[in-house]
Amino acid sequence: CIRDSGEIMSVTDKLRALMELSGVKGVDLAEALGVSYNSASNRMYKGVKRIDDLIKICDKCEAKISITAKDGTVIRLTIDDIETDKSK
């Protein structure tokens, strides 16, 4: 788990760290989320609340996101999942 000064970081702080490590800038984030720069900045400031935003940010940073069930089954969440949800 990423820690800052011994404290556990919030999800949004972890996403900011991921963006920095990946070289993703605010304009890149806005493009990935399909919103204006100001809107993307506001979402990061207020905290990421939507799973599709989380998936889009991770996709832009070329990071993988997954859920691991207690039996060890790993379920990946990808940008394709968002597109599939839209078509239903």
Side-chain angles (χ1 to χ4, degrees):
C1 166
I2 298 174
R3 293 181 181 264
D4 183 9
S5 305
E7 302 271 332
I8 295 177
M9 295 172 65
S10 70
V11 171
T12 300
D13 287 340
K14 289 178 183 181
L15 289 173
R16 284 186 187 114
L18 174 62
M19 288 172 58
E20 187 174 328
L21 290 169
S22 304
V24 173
K25 306 290 183 207
V27 293
D28 304 319
L29 177 63
E31 179 186 332
L33 296 176
V35 297
S36 70
Y37 175 83
N38 286 342
S39 181
S41 180
N42 285 338
R43 287 186 192 186
M44 291 301 288
Y45 176 76
K46 292 179 181 179
V48 175
K49 307 284 190 243
R50 298 173 44 169
I51 190 69
D52 59 330
D53 286 349
L54 176 65
I55 293 169
K56 289 174 184 178
I57 293 166
C58 288
D59 182 68
K60 187 65 176 182
C61 294
E62 298 181 9
K64 296 177 182 175
I65 185 169
S66 62
I67 300 167
T68 305
K70 68 179 181 177
D71 71 354
T73 302
V74 177
I75 302 166
R76 292 218 33 230
L77 301 175
T78 69
I79 199 74
D80 294 333
D81 297 326
I82 296 170
E83 297 304 319
T84 300
D85 288 345
K86 285 183 181 176
S87 66
K88 289 184 178 181

